[in-house]
Amino acid sequence: MARSFSSIHGRIKDPAVAEEYESAARFDKVRVGDTGVFFPYNLSIKYIPYKYLDRVFIRVNEVNGKLCCGKATFYYYRLVFVRDGKEFIDVISEDEKAMDDALAAIAEKAPQVAIGFAGKEQPA
């Protein structure tokens, strides 16, 4: 079955993108290639080129569940992509190590991309 790829600007039909996807390092749902990041999105595979990114970080979400026998806390992790100061897309996983490893791989492949959360600066 042929895979369908899309970017921020629409469909991609470049065979080089498909080749890169196949050879990219896999971290749960995320694949980190030489020129960008891939992950499932809707009915295609989203490709985000590094040149489009300003920052990437991990957001940790905590969910407090009420169960029949008590309470439990669950965590999930979002790999968040930022451009022009705005979060424009993210990918979710329950595997913290996979998200940490994906972020490290992005930092290695794209040193021009800022890694980690940048909070608002406090006035002095």
Side-chain angles (χ1 to χ4, degrees):
M1 183 174 118
R3 288 186 164 78
S4 172
F5 294 93
S6 66
S7 73
I8 299 305
H9 304 294
R11 289 204 171 252
I12 299 173
K13 295 185 179 180
D14 185 355
V17 171
E19 286 179 27
E20 182 177 342
Y21 173 79
E22 293 300 328
S23 65
R26 187 173 181 176
F27 307 96
D28 194 20
K29 299 176 202 171
V30 177
R31 291 188 186 211
V32 178
D34 291 332
T35 64
V37 180
F38 301 87
F39 54 89
Y41 187 78
N42 291 338
L43 297 175
S44 69
I45 297 168
K46 187 64 82 177
Y47 167 68
I48 309 293
Y50 297 132
K51 65 183 177 185
Y52 190 80
L53 299 173
D54 294 334
R55 176 176 302 282
V56 180
F57 67 92
I58 295 174
R59 174 173 288 135
V60 180
N61 292 102
E62 177 180 299
V63 177
N64 295 312
K66 293 182 181 180
L67 309 171
C68 63
C69 55
K71 296 180 182 179
T73 303
F74 304 96
Y75 297 94
Y76 60 94
Y77 308 89
R78 292 181 180 270
L79 191 60
V80 181
F81 299 93
V82 179
R83 170 145 176 122
D84 296 330
K86 296 181 181 176
E87 300 173 14
F88 66 93
I89 198 164
D90 64 28
V91 61
I92 189 170
S93 175
E94 294 177 1
D95 189 340
E96 180 180 15
K97 181 172 178 0
M99 293 295 98
D100 287 342
D101 291 346
L103 191 62
I106 293 168
E108 181 182 319
K109 298 275 187 178
Q112 75 278 11
V113 175
I115 301 296
F117 179 75
K120 297 190 186 246
E121 296 202 15
Q122 299 295 325

